[in-house]
Protein backbone atom coordinates (compact mmCIF):
# COMPACT_ATOMS: atom_id res chain seq x y z
CA UNK A 1 0.00 0.00 0.00
CA UNK A 2 1.32 3.46 -0.82
CA UNK A 3 1.89 5.88 2.03
CA UNK A 4 -0.98 8.27 2.71
CA UNK A 5 -0.40 11.86 1.62
CA UNK A 6 -1.36 14.96 3.55
CA UNK A 7 -1.60 18.63 2.64
CA UNK A 8 -1.53 21.26 5.35
CA UNK A 9 -2.25 24.97 4.84
CA UNK A 10 -1.50 27.43 7.65
CA UNK A 11 -3.15 30.75 8.21
CA UNK A 12 -2.45 32.98 11.16
CA UNK A 13 0.46 33.90 13.30
CA UNK A 14 3.88 32.37 13.74
CA UNK A 15 2.57 30.25 16.57
CA UNK A 16 0.12 28.62 14.21
CA UNK A 17 2.91 27.98 11.73
CA UNK A 18 4.98 26.32 14.44
CA UNK A 19 1.99 24.19 15.45
CA UNK A 20 1.74 23.16 11.81
CA UNK A 21 5.41 22.14 11.82
CA UNK A 22 4.76 19.97 14.86
CA UNK A 23 1.74 18.33 13.23
CA UNK A 24 3.75 17.67 10.07
CA UNK A 25 6.56 16.14 12.12
CA UNK A 26 4.05 13.83 13.78
CA UNK A 27 2.55 12.77 10.48
CA UNK A 28 5.92 12.17 8.84
CA UNK A 29 7.03 10.04 11.78
CA UNK A 30 3.85 8.05 11.22
CA UNK A 31 4.77 7.41 7.58
CA UNK A 32 2.64 10.09 5.90
CA UNK A 33 4.14 12.02 3.01
CA UNK A 34 3.47 15.65 2.11
CA UNK A 35 1.48 16.17 -1.13
CA UNK A 36 2.71 19.06 -3.24
CA UNK A 37 -0.81 19.74 -4.58
CA UNK A 38 -3.81 19.67 -2.33
CA UNK A 39 -5.76 17.73 -5.00
CA UNK A 40 -3.39 14.78 -4.56
CA UNK A 41 -3.75 14.57 -0.77
CA UNK A 42 -5.71 11.91 1.12
CA UNK A 43 -5.81 14.15 4.18
CA UNK A 44 -6.40 17.91 3.88
CA UNK A 45 -5.64 19.91 7.01
CA UNK A 46 -6.25 23.62 7.51
CA UNK A 47 -4.65 25.37 10.48
CA UNK A 48 -6.79 28.44 10.98
CA UNK A 49 -6.83 31.96 12.43
CA UNK A 50 -9.72 34.02 13.83
CA UNK A 51 -7.96 37.31 14.43
CA UNK A 52 -9.71 39.15 11.57
CA UNK A 53 -12.79 38.36 9.50
CA UNK A 54 -10.73 38.18 6.31
CA UNK A 55 -8.68 35.28 7.71
CA UNK A 56 -11.86 33.39 8.55
CA UNK A 57 -13.50 34.11 5.20
CA UNK A 58 -10.66 32.43 3.35
CA UNK A 59 -11.18 29.27 5.38
CA UNK A 60 -14.98 29.22 4.99
CA UNK A 61 -14.52 29.48 1.25
CA UNK A 62 -11.92 26.69 1.24
CA UNK A 63 -14.24 24.48 3.27
CA UNK A 64 -16.98 25.12 0.70
CA UNK A 65 -14.69 23.79 -2.04
CA UNK A 66 -13.76 20.76 0.04
CA UNK A 67 -17.44 19.97 0.57
CA UNK A 68 -17.82 19.68 -3.20
CA UNK A 69 -14.68 17.58 -3.55
CA UNK A 70 -15.79 15.19 -0.85
CA UNK A 71 -18.99 14.35 -2.73
CA UNK A 72 -16.95 12.48 -5.30
CA UNK A 73 -14.16 11.45 -2.95
CA UNK A 74 -15.75 10.20 0.29
CA UNK A 75 -12.51 8.75 1.64
CA UNK A 76 -10.93 12.22 1.81
CA UNK A 77 -10.17 13.33 5.38
CA UNK A 78 -10.77 17.02 6.12
CA UNK A 79 -9.41 18.47 9.36
CA UNK A 80 -9.81 22.00 10.73
CA UNK A 81 -7.16 22.89 13.30
CA UNK A 82 -6.31 25.99 15.31
CA UNK A 83 -8.16 29.08 16.45
CA UNK A 84 -11.25 28.80 14.22
CA UNK A 85 -11.66 25.20 15.36
CA UNK A 86 -11.87 26.53 18.88
CA UNK A 87 -14.09 29.46 18.00
CA UNK A 88 -16.55 27.66 15.69
CA UNK A 89 -16.41 24.08 16.89
CA UNK A 90 -20.16 23.82 17.51
CA UNK A 91 -21.10 25.09 14.08
CA UNK A 92 -18.53 22.92 12.34
CA UNK A 93 -19.52 19.79 14.20
CA UNK A 94 -23.25 20.25 13.74
CA UNK A 95 -23.44 21.87 10.30
CA UNK A 96 -20.43 20.70 8.32
CA UNK A 97 -20.57 16.93 8.00
CA UNK A 98 -17.74 16.99 5.49
CA UNK A 99 -15.33 18.11 8.22
CA UNK A 100 -13.92 15.01 9.94
CA UNK A 101 -11.85 16.63 12.66
CA UNK A 102 -12.06 19.88 14.61
CA UNK A 103 -8.96 20.31 16.74
CA UNK A 104 -8.33 23.41 18.85
CA UNK A 105 -4.89 25.01 19.20
CA UNK A 106 -2.32 23.15 21.29
CA UNK A 107 -4.31 19.94 21.29
CA UNK A 108 -2.04 18.27 18.82
CA UNK A 109 -0.39 15.73 21.11
CA UNK A 110 -2.23 12.75 19.59
CA UNK A 111 -3.23 14.27 16.28
CA UNK A 112 -1.65 11.50 14.22
CA UNK A 113 -3.88 8.94 15.97
CA UNK A 114 -6.96 11.05 15.29
CA UNK A 115 -6.05 11.47 11.63
CA UNK A 116 -5.26 7.80 11.18
CA UNK A 117 -8.56 6.82 12.77
CA UNK A 118 -10.47 9.20 10.51
CA UNK A 119 -8.70 7.88 7.45
CA UNK A 120 -9.38 4.24 8.19
CA UNK A 121 -13.04 4.90 8.97
CA UNK A 122 -13.53 7.08 5.89
CA UNK A 123 -12.00 4.39 3.73
CA UNK A 124 -14.49 1.89 5.14
CA UNK A 125 -17.40 4.26 4.59
CA UNK A 126 -16.27 4.86 1.01
CA UNK A 127 -16.04 1.12 0.42
CA UNK A 128 -19.50 0.52 1.87
CA UNK A 129 -20.94 3.45 -0.09
CA UNK A 130 -22.54 4.82 3.04
CA UNK A 131 -24.35 8.12 2.62
CA UNK A 132 -22.09 11.07 3.29
CA UNK A 133 -24.08 12.38 6.22
CA UNK A 134 -23.39 9.34 8.40
CA UNK A 135 -19.78 10.36 8.48
CA UNK A 136 -20.31 12.99 11.08
CA UNK A 137 -21.91 10.57 13.52
CA UNK A 138 -19.25 7.98 12.93
CA UNK A 139 -16.63 10.44 14.04
CA UNK A 140 -18.65 12.40 16.54
CA UNK A 141 -16.98 10.88 19.55
CA UNK A 142 -13.44 11.43 18.38
CA UNK A 143 -13.66 14.66 16.54
CA UNK A 144 -13.28 17.23 19.21
CA UNK A 145 -10.12 17.43 21.14
CA UNK A 146 -9.60 20.85 22.65
CA UNK A 147 -7.24 21.49 25.49
CA UNK A 148 -4.83 24.30 26.04
CA UNK A 149 -2.02 22.26 27.49
CA UNK A 150 1.45 22.76 26.13
CA UNK A 151 1.94 19.78 23.91
CA UNK A 152 4.75 20.99 21.68
CA UNK A 153 7.52 19.46 23.75
CA UNK A 154 5.98 16.02 23.47
CA UNK A 155 6.48 16.04 19.74
CA UNK A 156 9.92 15.35 18.39
CA UNK A 157 10.72 17.81 15.66
CA UNK A 158 12.19 16.60 12.46
CA UNK A 159 14.56 18.66 10.33
CA UNK A 160 12.43 17.88 7.30
CA UNK A 161 9.67 20.17 8.53
CA UNK A 162 11.94 23.10 9.40
CA UNK A 163 12.12 25.17 6.23
CA UNK A 164 15.68 26.36 7.04
CA UNK A 165 17.73 23.82 8.97
CA UNK A 166 19.53 26.46 11.02
CA UNK A 167 16.39 28.37 12.08
CA UNK A 168 13.79 27.25 14.60
CA UNK A 169 10.84 28.65 16.50
CA UNK A 170 10.13 27.68 20.08
CA UNK A 171 6.81 28.33 21.79
CA UNK A 172 7.72 29.42 25.29
CA UNK A 173 4.16 30.11 26.39
CA UNK A 174 0.61 29.70 25.20
CA UNK A 175 -2.46 31.89 25.53
CA UNK A 176 -2.92 35.49 26.58
CA UNK A 177 -4.29 37.12 29.75
CA UNK A 178 -4.51 40.67 28.40
CA UNK A 179 -7.84 42.46 28.13
CA UNK A 180 -7.44 44.18 24.72
CA UNK A 181 -10.98 45.10 23.75
CA UNK A 182 -10.76 44.19 20.05
CA UNK A 183 -8.95 40.87 20.28
CA UNK A 184 -10.19 37.29 19.97
CA UNK A 185 -6.90 35.61 20.89
CA UNK A 186 -7.58 35.23 24.65
CA UNK A 187 -10.80 33.40 23.72
CA UNK A 188 -9.24 31.08 21.17
CA UNK A 189 -5.99 30.41 22.99
CA UNK A 190 -7.07 30.58 26.63
CA UNK A 191 -5.02 31.62 29.65
CA UNK A 192 -1.26 32.11 29.69
CA UNK A 193 0.71 28.93 30.33
CA UNK A 194 4.51 29.28 30.42
CA UNK A 195 6.86 26.36 29.95
CA UNK A 196 9.61 25.98 32.58
CA UNK A 197 13.09 27.34 31.79
CA UNK A 198 14.72 23.90 32.18
CA UNK A 199 12.38 22.36 29.58
CA UNK A 200 13.09 25.19 27.15
CA UNK A 201 16.86 25.00 27.61
CA UNK A 202 16.58 21.30 26.96
CA UNK A 203 14.60 21.81 23.77
CA UNK A 204 16.98 24.54 22.60
CA UNK A 205 19.95 22.27 23.20
CA UNK A 206 18.33 19.52 21.15
CA UNK A 207 17.59 21.97 18.34
CA UNK A 208 21.18 23.26 18.37
CA UNK A 209 22.52 19.68 18.33
CA UNK A 210 20.43 19.30 15.22
CA UNK A 211 22.08 22.23 13.43
CA UNK A 212 19.99 25.19 14.60
CA UNK A 213 21.89 28.43 15.21
CA UNK A 214 18.99 30.93 15.33
CA UNK A 215 16.03 30.50 17.67
CA UNK A 216 12.97 32.73 17.81
CA UNK A 217 10.93 32.45 21.00
CA UNK A 218 7.20 32.74 20.52
CA UNK A 219 4.38 33.98 22.73
CA UNK A 220 1.41 36.34 22.28
CA UNK A 221 2.89 38.44 25.08
CA UNK A 222 6.30 36.83 25.04
CA UNK A 223 7.82 39.28 27.53
CA UNK A 224 5.13 38.40 30.11
CA UNK A 225 6.73 34.94 30.10
CA UNK A 226 6.92 33.27 33.50
CA UNK A 227 4.38 35.26 35.45
CA UNK A 228 2.20 32.15 35.84
CA UNK A 229 5.18 30.06 37.04
CA UNK A 230 4.69 31.04 40.64
CA UNK A 231 7.70 30.88 42.94
CA UNK A 232 10.15 29.95 40.18
CA UNK A 233 11.34 33.50 39.54
CA UNK A 234 11.20 32.83 35.81
CA UNK A 235 11.03 35.77 33.41
CA UNK A 236 12.14 36.45 29.86
CA UNK A 237 15.43 38.07 30.88
CA UNK A 238 16.43 34.94 32.84
CA UNK A 239 15.36 32.69 29.99
CA UNK A 240 17.42 34.74 27.50
CA UNK A 241 20.45 34.50 29.78
CA UNK A 242 20.06 30.74 30.15
CA UNK A 243 19.69 30.16 26.40
CA UNK A 244 22.54 32.53 25.64
CA UNK A 245 24.94 30.03 27.22
CA UNK A 246 24.38 27.44 24.47
CA UNK A 247 27.65 27.61 22.50
CA UNK A 248 26.21 26.71 19.08
CA UNK A 249 23.48 29.33 19.29
CA UNK A 250 24.29 32.55 17.39
CA UNK A 251 21.03 34.48 17.29
CA UNK A 252 18.16 34.63 19.76
CA UNK A 253 14.99 36.61 18.98
CA UNK A 254 11.55 36.80 20.57
CA UNK A 255 8.10 37.89 19.37
CA UNK A 256 5.67 39.50 20.26
CA UNK A 257 6.27 41.82 23.22
CA UNK A 258 3.74 43.97 25.05
CA UNK A 259 4.79 47.50 26.10
CA UNK A 260 3.62 46.91 29.70
CA UNK A 261 6.19 44.17 30.27
CA UNK A 262 9.29 45.85 28.85
CA UNK A 263 11.03 45.64 32.22
CA UNK A 264 14.41 47.12 33.24
CA UNK A 265 15.76 43.54 33.57
CA UNK A 266 14.72 42.71 30.03
CA UNK A 267 16.26 45.93 28.70
CA UNK A 268 19.53 45.14 30.50
CA UNK A 269 19.55 41.59 29.14
CA UNK A 270 19.00 42.89 25.60
CA UNK A 271 21.82 45.38 26.02
CA UNK A 272 24.25 42.88 27.53
CA UNK A 273 23.72 39.72 25.52
CA UNK A 274 25.36 39.96 22.09
CA UNK A 275 23.41 37.03 20.62
CA UNK A 276 20.04 38.65 21.26
CA UNK A 277 18.57 39.96 18.01
CA UNK A 278 18.71 43.69 17.45
CA UNK A 279 15.00 44.25 16.99
CA UNK A 280 12.01 44.42 19.28
CA UNK A 281 8.48 43.77 18.05
CA UNK A 282 6.54 46.01 20.42
CA UNK A 283 3.10 46.79 18.93
CA UNK A 284 1.89 50.30 19.75
CA UNK A 285 -1.53 49.76 18.04
CA UNK A 286 -2.36 53.50 18.12
CA UNK A 287 -0.74 56.86 18.78
CA UNK A 288 -3.83 58.32 20.45
CA UNK A 289 -4.34 58.00 24.20
CA UNK A 290 -8.10 58.11 23.72
CA UNK A 291 -8.01 55.13 21.36
CA UNK A 292 -5.45 53.25 23.48
CA UNK A 293 -7.83 53.62 26.40
CA UNK A 294 -10.77 52.32 24.36
CA UNK A 295 -8.56 49.43 23.27
CA UNK A 296 -7.73 48.72 26.93
CA UNK A 297 -4.05 48.44 26.11
CA UNK A 298 -2.99 49.61 29.57
CA UNK A 299 -0.43 52.26 28.53
CA UNK A 300 -0.32 55.77 27.16
CA UNK A 301 1.79 57.18 24.37
CA UNK A 302 3.92 58.88 27.02
CA UNK A 303 4.53 55.62 28.85
CA UNK A 304 5.44 53.82 25.63
CA UNK A 305 7.88 56.61 24.74
CA UNK A 306 9.45 56.50 28.20
CA UNK A 307 10.09 52.76 27.94
CA UNK A 308 11.70 53.23 24.53
CA UNK A 309 13.90 56.02 25.88
CA UNK A 310 15.06 53.62 28.61
CA UNK A 311 15.69 50.90 26.03
CA UNK A 312 17.68 53.16 23.71
CA UNK A 313 19.69 54.62 26.58
CA UNK A 314 21.15 51.15 27.11
CA UNK A 315 20.81 49.54 23.68
CA UNK A 316 20.73 52.23 20.99
CA UNK A 317 21.10 49.75 18.11
CA UNK A 318 17.78 47.97 18.73
CA UNK A 319 15.21 48.64 15.98
CA UNK A 320 11.51 48.73 16.72
CA UNK A 321 8.68 46.98 14.90
CA UNK A 322 5.02 47.71 15.50
CA UNK A 323 1.48 46.54 14.77
CA UNK A 324 -1.25 49.14 14.26
CA UNK A 325 -5.01 48.93 14.02
CA UNK A 326 -6.62 51.71 11.98
CA UNK A 327 -10.33 52.51 12.27
CA UNK A 328 -10.99 51.13 15.75
CA UNK A 329 -14.50 52.28 16.82
CA UNK A 330 -14.38 55.94 17.82
CA UNK A 331 -11.08 56.70 16.02
CA UNK A 332 -11.31 60.23 14.61
CA UNK A 333 -9.12 61.85 11.96
CA UNK A 334 -7.30 63.61 14.76
CA UNK A 335 -6.64 60.31 16.57
CA UNK A 336 -5.36 58.82 13.34
CA UNK A 337 -3.11 61.83 12.72
CA UNK A 338 -1.58 61.22 16.15
CA UNK A 339 -0.87 57.63 15.11
CA UNK A 340 0.95 58.82 11.99
CA UNK A 341 2.97 61.30 14.03
CA UNK A 342 3.86 58.70 16.65
CA UNK A 343 4.95 56.22 14.00
CA UNK A 344 7.27 58.89 12.55
CA UNK A 345 8.51 60.10 15.92
CA UNK A 346 9.62 56.64 17.07
CA UNK A 347 10.87 55.80 13.58
CA UNK A 348 9.74 52.19 13.42
CA UNK A 349 11.75 50.00 11.07
CA UNK A 350 8.76 47.86 10.17
CA UNK A 351 5.01 47.83 10.80
CA UNK A 352 2.10 45.49 10.28
CA UNK A 353 -1.00 47.59 9.68
CA UNK A 354 -4.52 46.20 10.04
CA UNK A 355 -7.95 47.61 9.38
CA UNK A 356 -10.12 47.07 12.43
CA UNK A 357 -12.29 43.97 12.09
CA UNK A 358 -15.03 43.43 14.69
CA UNK A 359 -14.72 40.04 16.39
CA UNK A 360 -17.90 38.60 17.86
CA UNK A 361 -17.84 38.42 21.64
CA UNK A 362 -15.16 41.10 22.11
CA UNK A 363 -15.85 44.36 23.94
CA UNK A 364 -15.10 46.52 20.89
CA UNK A 365 -17.66 44.60 18.85
CA UNK A 366 -20.38 45.74 21.23
CA UNK A 367 -19.94 49.38 20.23
CA UNK A 368 -20.86 50.64 16.81
CA UNK A 369 -18.18 50.15 14.14
CA UNK A 370 -18.52 53.84 13.26
CA UNK A 371 -15.50 54.42 11.01
CA UNK A 372 -16.64 54.11 7.37
CA UNK A 373 -14.87 51.44 5.30
CA UNK A 374 -13.52 54.10 2.93
CA UNK A 375 -11.88 55.93 5.86
CA UNK A 376 -10.34 52.72 7.18
CA UNK A 377 -8.96 52.02 3.72
CA UNK A 378 -7.53 55.53 3.35
CA UNK A 379 -5.95 55.49 6.82
CA UNK A 380 -4.47 52.10 6.05
CA UNK A 381 -2.88 53.50 2.87
CA UNK A 382 -1.59 56.63 4.60
CA UNK A 383 0.04 54.66 7.42
CA UNK A 384 1.50 52.16 4.94
CA UNK A 385 3.05 55.02 2.99
CA UNK A 386 4.39 56.57 6.22
CA UNK A 387 6.02 53.28 7.21
CA UNK A 388 7.39 52.74 3.73
CA UNK A 389 9.21 56.06 3.86
CA UNK A 390 10.69 55.20 7.26
CA UNK A 391 11.75 51.74 6.09
CA UNK A 392 13.41 53.03 2.91
CA UNK A 393 15.31 55.64 4.91
CA UNK A 394 16.56 52.96 7.31
CA UNK A 395 17.60 50.70 4.44
CA UNK A 396 19.34 53.62 2.67
CA UNK A 397 21.38 54.26 5.79
CA UNK A 398 22.89 50.79 5.32
CA UNK A 399 24.23 51.49 1.81
CA UNK A 400 28.00 50.96 1.77
CA UNK A 401 28.09 49.06 5.06
CA UNK A 402 28.73 45.35 5.55
CA UNK A 403 26.04 43.33 7.29
CA UNK A 404 26.02 39.76 8.52
CA UNK A 405 23.27 37.79 6.78
CA UNK A 406 21.89 34.42 7.79
CA UNK A 407 21.06 32.91 4.39
CA UNK A 408 17.50 31.59 4.18
CA UNK A 409 17.19 30.48 0.58
CA UNK A 410 16.81 31.51 -3.03
CA UNK A 411 15.23 34.88 -3.75
CA UNK A 412 12.27 35.20 -6.12
CA UNK A 413 14.66 36.90 -8.53
CA UNK A 414 16.72 34.27 -10.37
CA UNK A 415 20.41 34.17 -9.47
CA UNK A 416 19.88 35.78 -6.09
CA UNK A 417 19.90 34.45 -2.53
CA UNK A 418 18.06 35.96 0.43
CA UNK A 419 18.66 36.21 4.15
CA UNK A 420 18.25 38.39 7.21
CA UNK A 421 20.46 40.55 9.37
CA UNK A 422 20.44 40.52 13.17
CA UNK A 423 17.98 43.42 12.89
CA UNK A 424 15.69 41.22 10.81
CA UNK A 425 16.28 43.22 7.63
CA UNK A 426 15.81 41.26 4.45
CA UNK A 427 18.92 41.30 2.22
CA UNK A 428 19.27 39.87 -1.29
CA UNK A 429 22.61 39.21 -3.00
CA UNK A 430 23.81 37.68 -6.24
CA UNK A 431 24.62 33.99 -5.86
CA UNK A 432 23.18 30.66 -6.86
CA UNK A 433 25.11 28.65 -4.29
CA UNK A 434 22.43 26.65 -2.45
CA UNK A 435 25.19 25.50 -0.07
CA UNK A 436 25.08 28.94 1.55
CA UNK A 437 21.64 28.30 3.08
CA UNK A 438 21.98 28.31 6.86
CA UNK A 439 25.35 30.09 6.79
CA UNK A 440 26.22 33.55 8.09
CA UNK A 441 27.80 35.55 5.30
CA UNK A 442 29.05 39.13 4.95
CA UNK A 443 27.16 41.25 2.41
CA UNK A 444 27.99 44.83 1.43
CA UNK A 445 24.75 46.73 0.84
CA UNK A 446 24.55 48.65 -2.45
CA UNK A 447 20.83 49.35 -2.94
CA UNK A 448 17.86 50.12 -0.68
CA UNK A 449 14.25 49.12 -1.42
CA UNK A 450 11.25 49.59 0.86
CA UNK A 451 11.17 46.06 2.25
CA UNK A 452 14.70 44.89 1.58
CA UNK A 453 18.27 45.73 0.62
CA UNK A 454 20.39 44.39 -2.21
CA UNK A 455 24.11 43.83 -1.79
CA UNK A 456 27.25 41.98 -2.79
CA UNK A 457 28.51 38.85 -1.13
CA UNK A 458 31.99 39.37 0.32
CA UNK A 459 34.72 36.84 0.99
CA UNK A 460 34.56 35.00 4.31
CA UNK A 461 37.57 36.78 5.88
CA UNK A 462 35.48 39.92 5.77
CA UNK A 463 32.92 37.98 7.85
CA UNK A 464 35.54 37.25 10.45
CA UNK A 465 36.53 40.87 10.51
CA UNK A 466 32.91 41.93 10.98
CA UNK A 467 32.52 39.31 13.75
CA UNK A 468 35.57 40.76 15.51
CA UNK A 469 34.10 44.24 15.18
CA UNK A 470 30.82 42.99 16.61
CA UNK A 471 32.55 41.33 19.54
CA UNK A 472 34.52 44.51 20.23
CA UNK A 473 31.36 46.62 20.03
CA UNK A 474 29.46 44.20 22.28
CA UNK A 475 32.32 44.25 24.79
CA UNK A 476 32.38 48.03 24.80
CA UNK A 477 28.60 48.19 25.18
CA UNK A 478 28.25 45.69 27.99
CA UNK A 479 27.51 46.80 31.51
CA UNK A 480 29.81 45.40 34.16
N1 LIG B 1 -0.14 39.40 20.91
C1 LIG B 1 0.30 40.31 19.97
C2 LIG B 1 -0.40 40.22 18.64
C3 LIG B 1 -1.69 39.51 18.49
S1 LIG B 1 -2.58 39.50 17.01
C4 LIG B 1 0.19 41.67 20.58
O1 LIG B 1 -0.58 41.91 21.45
O2 LIG B 1 0.90 42.53 20.16
C5 LIG B 1 -1.61 40.41 15.87
C6 LIG B 1 -2.13 41.76 15.57
O3 LIG B 1 -3.40 41.70 14.97
C7 LIG B 1 -2.33 42.65 16.77
O4 LIG B 1 -1.15 43.22 17.21
C8 LIG B 1 -3.29 43.68 16.22
O5 LIG B 1 -2.60 44.75 15.62
C9 LIG B 1 -4.06 42.93 15.16
N2 LIG B 1 -5.44 42.65 15.55
C10 LIG B 1 -5.87 41.94 16.61
N3 LIG B 1 -7.22 41.96 16.66
C11 LIG B 1 -7.65 42.70 15.60
C12 LIG B 1 -8.92 43.08 15.10
N4 LIG B 1 -10.05 42.74 15.72
N5 LIG B 1 -8.97 43.84 13.97
C13 LIG B 1 -7.83 44.20 13.34
N6 LIG B 1 -6.62 43.87 13.76
C14 LIG B 1 -6.51 43.12 14.88
FE1 LIG C 1 -4.66 40.13 21.68
FE2 LIG C 1 -3.91 42.02 23.34
FE3 LIG C 1 -3.35 39.47 23.89
FE4 LIG C 1 -2.10 40.71 21.92
S1 LIG C 1 -1.97 41.24 24.10
S2 LIG C 1 -3.00 38.67 21.86
S3 LIG C 1 -3.67 42.06 21.10
S4 LIG C 1 -5.37 40.39 23.81
FE1 LIG D 1 -4.74 34.02 14.65
FE2 LIG D 1 -4.94 32.40 16.63
FE3 LIG D 1 -2.61 33.39 16.00
S1 LIG D 1 -6.41 33.93 16.12
S2 LIG D 1 -3.16 35.38 15.22
S3 LIG D 1 -3.79 32.05 14.76
S4 LIG D 1 -3.35 32.99 18.03
Amino acid sequence: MTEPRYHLTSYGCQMNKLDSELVEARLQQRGYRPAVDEEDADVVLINTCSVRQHAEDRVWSKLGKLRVRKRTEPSLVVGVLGCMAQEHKRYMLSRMPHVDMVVGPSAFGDIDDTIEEARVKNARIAAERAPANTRHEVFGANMLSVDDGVSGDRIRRDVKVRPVKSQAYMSIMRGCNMPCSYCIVPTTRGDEVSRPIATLVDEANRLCDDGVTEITLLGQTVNAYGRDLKGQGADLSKLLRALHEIPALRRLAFITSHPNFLSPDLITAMAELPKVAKFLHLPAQSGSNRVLKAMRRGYTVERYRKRIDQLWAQAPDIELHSDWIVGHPGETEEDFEQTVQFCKEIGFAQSYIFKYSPRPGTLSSEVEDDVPTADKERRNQVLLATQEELSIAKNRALIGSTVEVLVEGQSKVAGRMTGRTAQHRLVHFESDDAGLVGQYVPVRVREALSHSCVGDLLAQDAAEESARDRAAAAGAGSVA
Side-chain angles (χ1 to χ4, degrees):
M1 208 174 100
T2 55
E3 301 137 322
R5 281 165 304 173
Y6 70 89
H7 189 274
L8 195 162
T9 314
S10 286
Y11 298 92
C13 60
Q14 209 52 60
M15 259 167 272
N16 251 28
K17 301 219 162 75
L18 175 57
D19 283 344
S20 292
E21 276 184 30
L22 299 174
V23 169
E24 287 205 55
R26 264 279 154 121
L27 284 173
Q28 291 184 15
Q29 282 166 27
R30 187 89 182 216
Y32 283 62
R33 273 189 308 125
V36 178
D37 295 316
E38 191 181 297
E39 293 72 43
D40 299 330
D42 309 295
V43 176
V44 173
L45 302 170
I46 315 170
N47 197 3
T48 58
C49 173
S50 287
V51 80
R52 283 169 290 277
Q53 189 59 43
H54 176 66
E56 291 204 340
D57 288 345
R58 285 158 75 196
V59 171
W60 293 126
S61 122
K62 198 169 179 61
L63 286 174
K65 290 191 186 113
L66 286 166
R67 184 197 294 269
V68 175
R69 179 172 161 197
K70 200 148 166 172
R71 277 192 206 128
T72 53
E73 223 181 301
S75 62
L76 178 74
V77 172
V78 175
V80 180
L81 321 180
C83 291
M84 275 177 81
Q86 176 73 40
E87 187 61 8
H88 299 289
K89 55 185 176 250
R90 276 193 186 80
Y91 179 83
M92 286 180 188
L93 288 173
S94 61
R95 307 289 292 277
M96 303 192 103
H98 65 297
V99 174
D100 298 298
M101 302 163 36
V102 182
V103 186
S106 340
F108 301 141
D110 54 2
I111 191 144
D112 52 334
D113 293 335
T114 318
I115 291 171
E116 186 62 16
E117 211 170 305
R119 207 173 62 79
V120 170
K121 284 185 185 169
N122 273 15
R124 187 168 53 77
I125 288 168
E128 289 168 5
R129 295 177 188 281
N133 62 6
T134 60
R135 210 169 298 123
H136 174 213
E137 280 143 49
V138 173
F139 294 105
N142 283 327
M143 275 196 298
L144 187 64
S145 152
V146 178
D147 75 58
D148 273 304
V150 178
S151 59
D153 52 333
R154 279 194 272 135
I155 303 179
R156 189 175 68 80
R157 251 185 289 168
D158 199 300
V159 281
K160 281 193 291 255
V161 300
R162 274 204 317 271
V164 180
K165 200 177 176 320
S166 54
Q167 287 176 316
Y169 289 98
M170 249 170 60
S171 243
I172 65 167
M173 62 192 294
R174 298 266 179 188
C176 179
N177 286 6
M178 300 307 282
C180 305
S181 61
Y182 50 82
C183 185
I184 195 87
V185 171
T187 314
T188 59
R189 293 260 163 176
D191 284 344
E192 283 171 23
V193 183
S194 303
R195 299 169 65 196
I197 290 190
T199 313
L200 294 166
V201 170
D202 218 47
E203 183 173 335
N205 266 311
R206 271 183 284 133
L207 288 167
C208 291
D209 287 348
D210 200 27
V212 167
T213 60
E214 182 192 77
I215 293 182
T216 303
L217 310 177
L218 301 180
Q220 287 295 355
T221 45
V222 73
N223 55 339
Y225 167 79
R227 61 178 178 156
D228 57 309
L229 297 174
K230 298 268 178 316
Q232 296 183 28
D235 65 22
L236 184 60
S237 69
K238 293 200 179 70
L239 177 62
L240 292 176
R241 287 181 190 280
L243 296 172
H244 202 266
E245 298 290 307
I246 301 175
L249 189 70
R250 287 185 63 165
R251 281 187 191 170
L252 183 54
F254 52 92
I255 49 175
T256 300
S257 295
H258 190 291
N260 287 5
F261 305 103
L262 183 56
S263 67
D265 282 352
L266 179 57
I267 290 177
T268 306
M270 292 183 78
E272 283 182 8
L273 304 174
K275 295 178 182 177
V276 171
K278 302 285 172 230
F279 73 93
L280 180 65
H281 189 161
L282 194 73
Q285 310 293 1
S286 169
S288 150
N289 284 340
R290 235 173 47 80
V291 175
L292 286 172
K293 192 160 180 218
M295 289 177 164
R296 309 220 300 172
R297 286 290 286 178
Y299 53 86
T300 56
V301 168
E302 293 72 24
R303 190 153 156 225
Y304 187 104
R305 192 183 283 132
K306 195 167 150 212
R307 290 282 162 94
I308 298 312
D309 287 344
Q310 288 164 348
L311 172 73
W312 281 342
Q314 284 193 57
D317 53 348
I318 304 263
E319 293 199 333
L320 284 182
H321 298 175
S322 186
D323 294 353
W324 307 93
I325 297 178
V326 296
H328 185 271
E331 186 189 74
T332 61
E333 274 309 309
E334 199 188 333
D335 293 320
F336 174 67
E337 196 41 48
Q338 289 176 1
T339 293
V340 174
Q341 289 313 322
F342 193 54
C343 180
K344 286 187 188 160
E345 177 202 322
I346 301 285
F348 289 96
Q350 193 178 307
S351 284
Y352 295 96
I353 300 158
F354 306 104
K355 287 176 274 184
Y356 169 72
S357 167
R359 308 317 295 135
T362 60
L363 274 177
S364 298
S365 74
E366 283 165 22
V367 294
E368 193 197 341
D369 183 8
D370 58 355
V371 181
T373 311
D375 286 347
K376 281 186 191 149
E377 185 51 52
R378 183 177 38 78
R379 290 176 195 174
N380 186 38
Q381 293 304 329
V382 170
L383 197 52
L384 276 171
T386 306
Q387 181 57 58
E388 196 157 314
E389 258 180 51
L390 291 171
S391 303
I392 290 189
K394 291 214 175 281
N395 286 341
R396 273 202 199 114
L398 284 182
I399 292 179
S401 70
T402 300
V403 289
E404 186 194 57
V405 172
L406 168 55
V407 184
E408 294 183 353
Q410 246 135 22
S411 135
K412 283 185 197 120
V413 179
R416 274 189 185 172
M417 305 289 288
T418 290
R420 284 190 191 269
T421 68
Q423 292 183 317
H424 209 62
R425 301 267 193 93
L426 202 55
V427 177
H428 311 290
F429 58 92
E430 273 76 27
S431 170
D432 48 16
D433 180 0
L436 290 178
V437 174
Q439 294 196 26
Y440 294 78
V441 299
V443 175
R444 179 163 300 137
V445 177
R446 65 162 196 267
E447 193 185 337
L449 310 167
S450 53
H451 299 289
S452 60
C453 297
V454 186
D456 301 302
L457 179 65
L458 301 183
Q460 205 60 30
D461 52 345
E464 277 147 27
E465 221 168 84
S466 86
R468 270 198 302 278
D469 289 352
R470 265 199 333 278
S478 72
V479 180

